[in-house]
Each structure stands twice: as C-alpha cells, then as structure tokens.
Amino acid sequence: QVQLVESGGGLVQAGGSLRLSCAASGRIFRFNVMGWYRQAPGKQRELVATITSGGNTNYQDSVKGRFTISRLNAENTVYLQMNSLKAEDTAVYYCNLVWLGVDYWGQGTQVTVSS
C-alpha cells in the first residue's frame, strides 16, 4: 500500500521560509501526480500546488510567486518551498499522491506562521 511520510512543518515568523518534504513509499506507478493541500481550522481542504512526474505544476493563486513545488521522481518525493510566509498560510499541510485515479494522503503537518 502507498504510504506518505511528511516532514518540515513547524512555527515560523511572517516573512520567513519553510520547506516541506514528503516521501512516498510502496508500489507506485512512475507516472503520477503529487502535491500539497492545506486545511485551516474551520475551512475546507484546498489545493496549494501539484506537480506531475513530467514536471507540470499548478499553484493556487494566493501562493504563486511565493511557493515552489518540486519533486524527485526516482524517490517519489515532493517538496514545497514556502517563502514570504503570511499568517494566512497557517494550516495543516497534507501531502497527496494520485495514482490510477486513487488519492493517497499523508498524515498532515502543522505549519504555523506568527504575525
């Protein structure tokens, strides 16, 4: 079964940076989509960014120019470099992988940005 293990969450000051990592393990088809979603208290889970195995990326408008998603295909590892963090970025960030139409999720990692 596919398992996603996240790391890199924590507390940062507004304007600071944080780098999230997520490594997927298991029997995963090479061509998949990995990404990051986030959920703030009382809010719906929302897309942050996704990246295909071919390198095609998609970003939520609010993070464009501040966040960068990247991946290492050989390891099925995805990263999210977050710069110029704002208090509004505070949320639980979830790693996501889609393979054969099935969504797999990480446990979530808390990102807290202090004002």
Side-chain angles (χ1 to χ4, degrees):
Q1 187 69 284
V2 175
Q3 184 177 19
L4 306 179
V5 179
E6 299 165 297
S7 62
L11 174 65
V12 298
Q13 291 184 315
S17 298
L18 199 63
R19 182 177 172 87
L20 305 182
S21 300
C22 174
S25 61
R27 300 183 185 275
I28 307 170
F29 186 65
R30 176 180 178 182
F31 302 103
N32 57 63
V33 180
M34 298 187 72
W36 293 93
Y37 291 71
R38 66 186 182 186
Q39 187 169 22
K43 304 294 183 181
Q44 299 280 358
R45 188 174 299 186
E46 64 180 6
L47 168 73
V48 178
T50 61
I51 183 168
T52 69
S53 55
N56 186 42
T57 59
N58 184 42
Y59 294 92
Q60 181 193 113
D61 287 342
S62 66
V63 307
K64 288 180 179 178
R66 300 190 298 120
F67 292 8
T68 302
I69 189 169
S70 61
R71 65 182 290 167
L72 296 176
N73 291 335
E75 302 293 332
N76 279 316
T77 301
V78 65
Y79 305 93
L80 185 68
Q81 179 66 47
M82 303 185 292
N83 298 325
S84 301
L85 283 163
K86 306 174 180 179
E88 303 83 73
D89 295 317
T90 295
V92 177
Y93 284 69
Y94 296 91
C95 181
N96 170 259
L97 182 149
V98 181
W99 175 48
L100 299 179
V102 178
D103 283 80
Y104 298 88
W105 297 93
Q107 77 285 354
T109 184
Q110 178 70 47
V111 172
T112 302
V113 184
S114 62
S115 300

